[in-house]
Amino acid sequence: MKIYIAEDEPLAAAKLKLFLEKLGEGGDISTYGDGIAAWAAIDRERPDVLFLDIQMPGLNGMQILARLRDLPVVVTSAFDQYAIDSFSLNVTDYLLKPYTIDRLRLAVDKVRKAIRLQQIERESTARQLTLRIDGRNEIVRQEEILYLEAVKDYVRIVTADRQQRRTLGTLSSIESQLSADDFVRVHRSFIVNRQRISGIGAHSVTMADGAAIPIGRKYKENIEKI
């Protein structure tokens, strides 16, 4: 894990770093002695987890928490009065100083679970396509899409249940949202789901629903890769 420690007390920061190393988490740890430096580092390059003291110069821990979005944070503080406000800002855990290495181990376990849940959520979201259809947003799972066709000023999406959806826009704008591992452009007007191809001929690909999708000359290389 990439770990940031925001702690203005050098001894407390050193203790936390030592404990993390004993727990096998010492591979990539950066320490910041004030809130401004910590926030600048977070804003520049997001860590996997932030261990955050509350009382720090520059920006305090609560001010940093208010700025964060979807980052696992473990608060480390000698004061328990910040716990309720911290959890209302979705911290992963709250370590009351002085804490033991066993208590820190529990916090690290919570962090790992939080990171995994975020990964699952991102993967799930990435596998969905949000389309504007008939004035409302509709979510289509990418694996259910057979192919997409550009027709004038809209895109036709054909899914495995044989439904067809039409959304205003260009094929290129939707292509940028699709998984590059699963979808391939075979014609200037067609993108197909390679997992849904049932056959490949000299001039067309056959989809699972029997549709024959033409292969454009400039896209033959894409077919060869399949």
Side-chain angles (χ1 to χ4, degrees), residues 53-160:
D53 187 21
I54 295 296
Q55 294 188 336
M56 291 186 299
L59 291 173
N60 64 42
M62 298 308 295
Q63 290 172 317
I64 291 178
L65 278 176
R67 298 182 179 192
L68 291 174
R69 294 291 183 273
D70 301 324
L71 174 65
V73 178
V74 176
V75 170
T76 59
S77 176
F79 307 96
D80 59 6
Q81 64 262 37
Y82 301 109
I84 293 177
D85 289 339
S86 295
F87 281 112
S88 71
L89 293 170
N90 297 319
V91 299
T92 303
D93 206 349
Y94 193 101
L95 294 181
L96 193 61
K97 299 173 183 176
Y99 49 83
T100 65
I101 190 170
D102 288 332
R103 179 63 183 86
L104 178 61
R105 181 181 287 107
L106 293 176
V108 170
D109 288 342
K110 288 183 180 180
V111 167
R112 289 203 168 277
K113 289 178 181 178
I115 291 173
R116 180 56 186 153
L117 286 174
Q118 287 181 350
Q119 290 174 337
I120 292 172
E121 184 176 350
R122 283 195 294 269
E123 290 168 2
S124 176
T125 301
R127 303 297 300 176
Q128 296 175 348
L129 188 65
T130 301
L131 304 170
R132 191 71 175 174
I133 298 173
D134 297 330
R136 62 185 177 84
N137 288 335
E138 184 173 338
I139 295 176
V140 179
R141 295 183 63 83
Q142 292 194 26
E143 59 263 34
E144 293 301 316
I145 296 174
L146 297 179
Y147 59 91
L148 305 92
E149 178 186 8
V151 183
K152 295 184 178 179
D153 58 350
Y154 65 87
V155 176
R156 183 169 69 101
I157 298 99
V158 179
T159 52

Side-chain angles (χ1 to χ4, degrees), residues 170-223:
T170 65
L171 198 59
S172 294
S173 65
I174 296 180
E175 183 176 19
S176 64
Q177 303 176 55
L178 297 171
S179 167
D181 292 331
D182 295 327
F183 288 86
V184 59
R185 190 184 282 253
V186 298
H187 187 277
R188 66 178 182 178
S189 298
F190 288 93
I191 295 174
V192 302
N193 185 342
R194 69 176 69 196
Q195 308 301 331
R196 297 284 187 168
I197 294 174
S198 62
I200 300 176
H203 304 291
S204 66
V205 294
T206 304
M207 305 307 297
D209 65 345
I213 306 300
I215 299 173
R217 283 182 296 178
K218 66 180 293 185
Y219 299 99
K220 285 186 179 294
E221 184 178 342
N222 291 347
I223 299 300

Side-chain angles (χ1 to χ4, degrees), residues 11-27:
L11 289 179
K15 173 187 174 181
L16 175 54
K17 187 173 185 294
L18 178 62
F19 277 4
L20 288 169
E21 289 171 346
K22 288 184 176 180
L23 292 175
E25 303 293 345

